Amino acid sequence: MHTPQVEIPEIGSGIGLIDQQKEKIIGEKVYREVQHQLPIVQNPWLEDQFMLVFSRILSQTQMGSPIGLVIVKDPQINAFAVPGGLFALNTGMVTSSKNMDEVVGVMAHEIAHVTQRHYSRSQEAFKGQGLLALAGIIVGAALASKADGDVGSAVMLGSQAALMDQQLIYSRNQEREADRIGMQLMYGAGYNPQSMADFFETMHRTTSRLSFLPDFWLTHPLTSERMSEARLRANQFPRVQINNNQQEFELIKWYTAAVSGQTSQQQLEGLIQQNSFAGLLAASEFNAQQGDYAKAQGYLNTAKKINPDHTLLHIIQTDVYLGQNKIEDAYQAIINKQRIMPENRALNYKLAEVYIRQNKGQDAEKLVNRFVSKNKTDIQGWQLLQQAANLDKNNPLRTVNVLYYRAEVQYWGGDEENAIKSLLHAQRLAKGNNAMTARIDTRLKVMQDERKLKI
């Protein structure tokens, strides 16, 4: 499909702008803080689905490789992006969208705020530490929405006041610019700009019925003028072929709902009565999580009659077997699919889990290392490496390796202090092994330097 080249105005690095290198370090700091403070969905298959879409939008911009994408377990409709290329998406954002293009609309809008460096340009006060203060506010606001009752809303209003105080509620012009550039990014990536306008209207209808505003509109005020402008702007783009991937989106949507506990058995039964593949897999996941493996297997058996080949079906089947300690069955359920798709992270990680249960630590390590070497923030990868290293009973460096991997898990999970303690412990045990000591020293120095950045 040929799409016209999109011209995104590039903002040069003028006075008072935070340079890209610093943005990256700050973005990573926020990533760790978010992992530490918010309930994050750790699910390789789901992450990879959104990362695929996220990367398609990012490929339209001059931004380098992203720090990462996190899925926050929260029914509120919200998303936020942080300079340096960190993007967070609430599960509620996914479960309330009608199609992937609507999710993309919000992603593209947020990415536009970052590529246009609205944060960095907001105020001269953002020389250096301002973004960290902002990150604290974002995390604070998200946390406050979890708190119970009046305390929550009081804190929430407090953080909103702080946002206003920092002039972080984007100016109307910045919102318009993010809408406009977001639509260009969507169109360039092959998505329908009309969906951004559709989502605004859906949200407007929802919020007029609610007594409170979803988080997203507190920081991105929605006026009727902005809504009609969005529609007019969308109408100026050539028509985009409707995405025929609706079934795949239904699967992502209902699986997200099952993983985040935002659905019920009753709701899923309604879908299953319509012979919905998405409903069957979501119901299987939902019941597997509750330990009802017989029920989960029943739904899988029906789903296999519709589409026996789907990657997610193989992953859930492996989980159902692992839950019942049927290790050999789990291996058979995943190995052929992984051989056909050796680049698929979710399949590799599931196979690595099986290898670990089979006591084949080195096989697991080989699989996971390929991915972690490309993405140092991959917490699940580090966890698997830690478990695999622990099985290596004959390796004199076994404890050192376990501590090294554990330090990475702790570090990217936002527990910087304990990560440094784990590395110091590893350093003492590695004495005499020059290569290992050098590796630990280098990593330790980076961790200690980055920890000094305060949110």
Side-chain angles (χ1 to χ4, degrees):
M1 171 180 84
H2 178 74
T3 49
Q5 203 39 52
V6 185
E7 284 303 313
I8 306 297
E10 271 302 310
I11 309 292
S13 51
I15 312 292
L17 284 190
I18 297 160
D19 64 71
Q20 253 100 3
Q21 186 54 39
K22 197 159 195 181
E23 278 188 356
K24 194 90 177 159
I25 293 169
I26 289 170
E28 287 176 0
K29 176 82 176 175
V30 180
Y31 175 88
R32 298 194 292 277
E33 197 62 27
V34 165
Q35 291 283 351
H36 191 53
Q37 301 274 9
L38 299 180
I40 301 297
V41 175
Q42 305 282 0
N43 187 299
W45 185 81
L46 213 46
E47 287 166 358
D48 292 352
Q49 298 307 303
F50 289 116
M51 200 57 185
L52 212 66
V53 178
F54 184 42
S55 304
R56 279 180 71 176
I57 312 168
L58 275 186
S59 69
Q60 303 294 312
T61 74
Q62 306 291 309
M63 276 175 75
S65 57
I67 290 164
L69 174 105
V70 290
I71 303 161
V72 184
K73 193 171 173 178
D74 186 340
Q76 279 262 25
I77 295 170
N78 204 6
F80 62 84
V82 177
L86 167 65
F87 189 82
L89 188 66
N90 277 8
T91 49
M93 171 75 231
V94 180
T95 53
S96 60
S97 296
K98 293 194 288 294
N99 49 47
M100 186 54 93
D101 296 53
E102 290 194 350
V103 179
V104 170
V106 175
M107 276 190 184
H109 175 97
E110 289 295 319
I111 288 169
H113 276 309
V114 174
T115 58
Q116 298 321 106
R117 309 190 78 191
H118 288 161
Y119 282 132
S120 316
R121 287 190 293 157
S122 273
Q123 235 183 348
E124 279 292 44
F126 276 166
K127 281 186 179 142
Q129 296 299 314
L131 271 172
L132 287 178
L134 154 70
I137 291 169
I138 288 177
V139 173
L143 269 181
S145 67
K146 306 260 158 330
D148 290 339
D150 298 340
V151 189
S153 37
V155 182
M156 193 70 193
L157 289 170
S159 13
Q160 295 309 330
L163 277 167
M164 290 177 197
D165 186 43
Q166 294 254 3
Q167 291 184 358
L168 283 174
I169 285 192
Y170 297 112
S171 70
R172 286 189 173 191
N173 287 342
Q174 286 179 331
E175 283 301 350
R176 286 199 190 106
E177 188 176 38
D179 290 346
R180 176 171 62 81
I181 288 170
M183 282 185 186
Q184 290 178 348
L185 295 175
M186 285 180 83
Y187 181 76
Y191 294 97
N192 187 358
Q194 295 285 353
S195 296
M196 189 191 281
D198 291 345
F199 192 69
F200 284 172
E201 285 166 16
T202 308
M203 286 290 292
H204 187 65
R205 282 198 296 276
T206 319
T207 41
S208 52
R209 289 204 305 272
L210 297 171
S211 56
F212 65 93
L213 281 165
D215 295 358
F216 190 71
W217 298 135
L218 285 164
T219 47
H220 306 66
L222 184 65
T223 57
S224 46
E225 180 190 15
R226 186 177 154 208
M227 276 167 54
S228 53
E229 266 186 40
R231 182 61 73 194
L232 282 169
R233 196 169 283 133
N235 289 339
Q236 288 165 7
F237 285 90
R239 290 200 72 82
V240 172
Q241 284 281 295
I242 292 299
N243 235 320
N244 53 2
N245 252 359
Q246 191 54 26
Q247 272 178 312
E248 195 61 14
F249 177 71
E250 290 297 317
L251 186 54
I252 290 169
K253 175 173 170 165
W254 287 105
Y255 182 69
T256 300
V259 166
S260 60
Q262 281 169 240
T263 184
S264 63
Q265 181 68 34
Q266 197 183 356
Q267 204 176 13
L268 294 170
E269 284 295 345
L271 284 174
I272 290 164
Q273 278 163 10
Q274 300 157 33
N275 206 23
S276 154
F277 183 69
L280 287 162
L281 286 196
S284 181
E285 174 67 29
F286 186 80
N287 284 280
Q289 280 185 15
Q290 296 182 348
D292 192 338
Y293 297 112
K295 207 167 184 182
Q297 188 63 58
Y299 291 124
L300 275 182
N301 293 343
T302 313
K304 281 175 191 173
K305 293 175 190 154
I306 302 174
N307 180 358
D309 243 12
H310 200 284
T311 302
L312 185 58
L313 187 140
H314 286 265
I315 289 170
I316 297 173
Q317 179 64 82
T318 308
D319 272 336
V320 168
Y321 285 143
L322 286 175
Q324 300 167 91
N325 219 18
K326 298 178 176 171
I327 311 297
E328 183 51 35
D329 288 342
Y331 176 74
Q332 294 304 333
I334 196 85
I335 186 65
N336 291 335
K337 192 70 182 166
Q338 185 273 343
R339 280 179 185 151
I340 297 166
M341 301 171 74
E343 295 315 305
N344 186 298
R345 172 172 164 261
L347 287 171
N348 279 285
Y349 281 16
K350 198 49 71 186
L351 178 57
E353 261 181 71
V354 175
Y355 279 149
I356 287 165
R357 293 281 286 275
Q358 289 178 326
N359 225 351
K360 297 179 182 166
Q362 284 168 326
D363 290 346
E365 231 169 316
K366 241 189 249 122
L367 285 182
V368 177
N369 260 323
R370 295 189 358 237
F371 295 91
V372 172
S373 61
K374 289 199 284 263
N375 175 16
K376 62 181 181 182
T377 68
D378 186 344
I379 297 176
Q380 291 148 91
W382 292 117
Q383 280 168 337
L384 289 167
L385 287 173
Q386 183 190 340
Q387 290 167 11
N390 196 34
L391 296 172
D392 199 0
K393 303 278 190 270
N394 302 325
N395 187 343
L397 283 177
R398 172 188 164 199
T399 315
V400 175
N401 285 328
V402 170
L403 284 164
Y404 186 91
Y405 294 139
R406 184 176 80 183
E408 295 291 1
V409 173
Q410 290 167 322
Y411 189 69
W412 294 109
D415 189 357
E416 295 168 2
E417 191 180 341
N418 281 319
I420 288 167
K421 282 181 184 164
S422 295
L423 272 191
L424 287 167
H425 189 176
Q427 191 182 43
R428 285 192 294 277
L429 295 177
K431 279 231 181 324
N433 183 317
N434 293 347
M436 194 66 192
T437 302
R439 187 180 167 200
I440 292 169
D441 291 350
T442 310
R443 189 66 184 112
L444 192 57
K445 185 178 177 341
V446 173
M447 280 189 191
Q448 287 168 329
D449 288 348
E450 289 179 355
R451 184 168 178 242
K452 290 176 192 147
L453 280 170
K454 281 276 178 274
I455 286 196

